[in-house]
Amino acid sequence: MLKAAGLMALAAAPAYAVPLIPRTLNLRCRFKQGGYAIGQADPHADVWVDGEWRTKASDIGSFFIGFDRDSPPQCLIELKGPVSGQYQKTTCEIYPATYDVQRVDGLPQNTVTPSDPALLERIAAEVALKTEAFAHREDADWFRDGFSWPLDIYRVSGTFGNQRILNGVPSRPHYGYDMAAPVGTPVHAPQTGRVVLAEPDLHFEGGLILIDHGQGVISMYLHLSQLFVTKGQLIPKGQLIGYVGAKGRATGPHLCWRLKWRDRALDPTLMVSA
């Protein structure tokens, strides 16, 4: 059954307890594997996560931290103001997520275990393109107001974090949220951002768009049939970016919606403002 995106937002972000944190950090969070924290610090403050420097706050002090699919149960956040030298820290409890096993059959075998040398060369070139895009760091904080849904009407066909078995072969977890809809369904940018990749026909992803929403918060849109944006373009929230398709490793038309923060895979649905 198709569901309106606004209704799906309520189902995608269940309530759970939030640990006490210092008011000075002003964190808005989903303390859950695949979740995030958006906070406020001094402008350009250094942000350390679990003892590692990860980012700088924006001109107005906004910063983003993502919790990976397999995040450990605790996360240490430390802030240091570049001018005042003010130091703040807190340890957050990260709640575990439950992941299902998803079986996907009927895929072209060369999208599951490619072996042709020419195809492997193509895949390597495409990996280089994506790696360069993921390294982009837009000096902005458009992420701070959350996301809207990229599709208005869709059916959920896959959720974030599921262990996948493709054509009977165990594969890496699924890092996307699959939204089944007819080919040609409009896809809209869920938040303002800079397009850092726009490729019409990659081997695995088909039509692929990557958007940097600031500080390496990069959303992804896979299997598109058409693209309406170009690399380097600054696009506002709600702009049409493409149409749903079934290109690449897909058994039917759908949008695979993904989110990364630097090297961490996140659940994009948790960024949606209910």
Side-chain angles (χ1 to χ4, degrees):
M1 180 176 67
L2 294 178
K3 297 185 178 182
L7 297 178
M8 288 303 301
L10 298 177
Y16 46 84
V18 175
L20 293 176
I21 53 176
R23 289 183 177 272
T24 49
L25 293 183
N26 294 316
L27 293 178
R28 293 186 289 113
C29 319
R30 300 284 190 184
F31 282 127
K32 180 181 179 181
Q33 289 177 327
Y36 68 91
I38 296 174
Q40 195 70 28
D42 289 344
H44 308 294
D46 287 301
V47 181
W48 296 69
V49 181
D50 294 327
E52 180 183 359
W53 182 91
R54 297 293 282 178
T55 189
K56 279 186 177 290
S58 70
D59 290 344
I60 62 172
S62 296
F63 66 90
F64 185 100
I65 294 170
F67 309 124
D68 195 70
R69 174 194 184 273
D70 301 308
S71 174
Q74 290 189 328
C75 176
L76 173 64
I77 301 173
E78 300 172 278
L79 308 175
K80 185 174 182 180
V83 176
S84 66
Q86 182 183 27
Y87 175 77
Q88 301 168 274
K89 73 173 182 178
T90 187
T91 299
C92 308
E93 182 178 355
I94 309 301
Y95 291 90
T98 301
Y99 304 116
D100 296 326
V101 175
Q102 182 182 23
R103 297 178 181 273
V104 183
D105 296 314
L107 292 166
Q109 194 58 36
N110 67 357
T111 66
V112 179
T113 53
S115 58
D116 178 75
L119 178 56
L120 292 174
E121 184 178 354
R122 173 188 173 184
I123 291 171
E126 293 175 354
V127 167
L129 280 175
K130 290 179 284 187
T131 299
E132 180 183 1
F134 283 127
H136 193 271
R137 300 289 181 263
E138 186 75 17
D139 185 13
D141 54 10
W142 298 305
F143 55 77
R144 68 182 184 275
D145 294 324
F147 285 177
S148 60
W149 295 96
L151 299 184
D152 292 331
I153 302 292
Y154 62 91
R155 176 178 58 84
V156 179
S157 56
T159 54
F160 171 82
N162 289 345
Q163 175 62 50
R164 282 196 144 180
I165 300 176
L166 306 179
N167 290 359
V169 178
S171 182
R172 63 187 298 188
H174 179 50
Y175 292 122
Y177 182 73
D178 288 343
M179 310 169 78
V183 171
T185 300
V187 180
H188 299 276
Q191 188 49 269
T192 299
R194 180 83 60 188
V195 177
V196 294
L197 186 72
E199 291 291 328
D201 193 19
L202 299 184
H203 177 70
F204 291 117
E205 298 88 357
L208 175 65
I209 294 172
L210 272 57
I211 303 174
D212 188 340
H213 304 283
Q215 298 181 21
V217 180
I218 296 178
S219 60
M220 293 156 267
Y221 310 85
L222 286 69
H223 310 304
L224 300 174
S225 59
Q226 287 185 257
L227 282 59
F228 301 115
V229 295
T230 57
K231 181 179 177 180
Q233 185 177 350
L234 178 62
I235 56 173
K237 179 179 181 178
Q239 178 168 321
L240 175 67
I241 60 173
Y243 286 157
V244 168
K247 290 184 174 182
R249 187 161 69 187
T251 56
H254 73 284
L255 173 69
C256 179
W257 185 29
R258 301 188 179 193
L259 183 67
K260 285 188 76 171
W261 177 65
R262 299 174 181 256
D263 58 346
R264 299 185 177 189
L266 312 181
D267 182 349
T269 68
L270 297 178
M271 284 289 291
V272 175
S273 304

